[in-house]
Amino acid sequence: MTGAGRGIGLAFARRLADAGHRVVLTDVDGDAAQRSAAEIGRGAVGLPHDVRDIAAHRRIADEAAELGRLAVWVNNAGVLFAGDAWSHPDVEIATILDVNVRGVMAGSAAAVAQMGQAGGAILNVASISALGPVPGLALYAATKAAVLSYTSSLQGDLAHAGLPIRAHALCPDVVGTQMVSTRAEDPGAALLFSGPKPLDADDVARAGLELMAGRQIFRVVPRWRGALVRGLDIAPAAGLTVLGVVRRIGDRRQARGALRSR
């Protein structure tokens, strides 16, 4: 479980522990991972893990296998940067690709190698932003689209190889996590604050476990929002016009929030 020191990752770890799994929580903040593991108890283990390090995924998989059969792997770690698509400094471009895309690919490969013919489930946390344009969050949306595409292709490769491993991608709408709340006054992140109340991390984790229990490759949470976003994709130019209006709603909500915080 990557990125499990807090937020969605921690919620997944709790749910998996409740389901009887012994969980290994990893996070770039190793202390946070250890604190979360102690909170969960039941033999949970917390380890430092920078998902940008490809070899580190294999080491984590080996350590997890020493505790028992590796049955579930969740690639949850992610970062978000907001702003006009052309405005991001080099370090943001490199970081978001390394964490959100390379981390998922390396984690999935390590999980497949460790699970092998014993089988298991891989869950990659993508986003509803994978389904269409998200002005202001172009880098984030592009990486999550890559995660969704990679997961579908991964499942095809697994089926072709005859490996009893299921790959899934979860695409939640905005979730009330620290990653989102820290962007409350960032103008580029207006779309994050334009819709209904953010989802609860535990509800997202529950949907993820339901997804892994079946054969569906990806699921949008909530489902109706996925249908709405895909509808905008039918006519891209018109869809971007609609998103421009929605973005201005987010701008106003951000402004009101900023005034209240002063």
Side-chain angles (χ1 to χ4, degrees), residues 78-188:
V79 295
L80 180 151
F81 301 116
D84 291 326
W86 60 87
S87 67
H88 298 278
D90 295 351
V91 67
E92 289 187 356
I93 296 172
T95 298
I96 202 166
L97 289 171
D98 285 348
V99 174
N100 292 11
V101 180
R102 187 165 72 171
V104 168
M105 293 178 176
S108 297
V112 171
Q114 187 59 246
M115 292 174 178
Q117 287 294 341
I122 297 170
L123 179 67
N124 295 326
V125 179
S127 166
I128 195 172
S129 65
L131 304 180
V134 190
L137 298 170
L139 294 190
Y140 183 75
T143 62
K144 293 304 183 177
V147 168
L148 180 56
S149 176
Y150 172 78
T151 304
S152 300
S153 299
L154 171 61
Q155 182 55 59
D157 287 343
L158 291 167
H160 180 73
L163 289 172
I165 302 171
R166 300 296 304 178
H168 308 273
L170 189 67
C171 300
D173 202 345
V174 180
V175 187
T177 63
Q178 184 180 358
M179 186 174 75
V180 171
S181 64
T182 56
R183 299 293 173 184
E185 296 183 17
D186 190 330

Side-chain angles (χ1 to χ4, degrees), residues 26-110:
T26 75
D27 199 284
V28 68
D29 182 346
D31 291 339
Q34 291 174 0
R35 287 194 299 269
S36 295
E39 175 189 326
I40 290 173
R42 290 169 284 184
V45 176
L47 299 172
H49 180 200
D50 186 340
V51 298
R52 295 172 293 183
D53 182 348
I54 293 177
H57 292 272
R58 295 191 291 270
R59 292 195 296 271
I60 294 295
D62 289 342
E63 291 188 48
E66 290 178 2
L67 302 174
R69 185 176 76 84
L70 181 61
V72 176
W73 183 287
V74 180
N75 288 306
N76 166 74
V79 295
L80 180 151
F81 301 116
D84 291 326
W86 60 87
S87 67
H88 298 278
D90 295 351
V91 67
E92 289 187 356
I93 296 172
T95 298
I96 202 166
L97 289 171
D98 285 348
V99 174
N100 292 11
V101 180
R102 187 165 72 171
V104 168
M105 293 178 176
S108 297

Side-chain angles (χ1 to χ4, degrees), residues 133-135 190-191 194-195 225 227-252:
V134 190
L191 281 177
S194 63
R225 291 280 281 179
L228 179 62
V229 171
R230 289 195 155 195
L232 293 175
D233 222 20
I234 295 175
L240 284 171
T241 299
V242 172
L243 286 173
V245 174
V246 175
R247 188 177 184 179
R248 286 192 288 276
I249 293 173
D251 287 335
R252 290 195 292 272

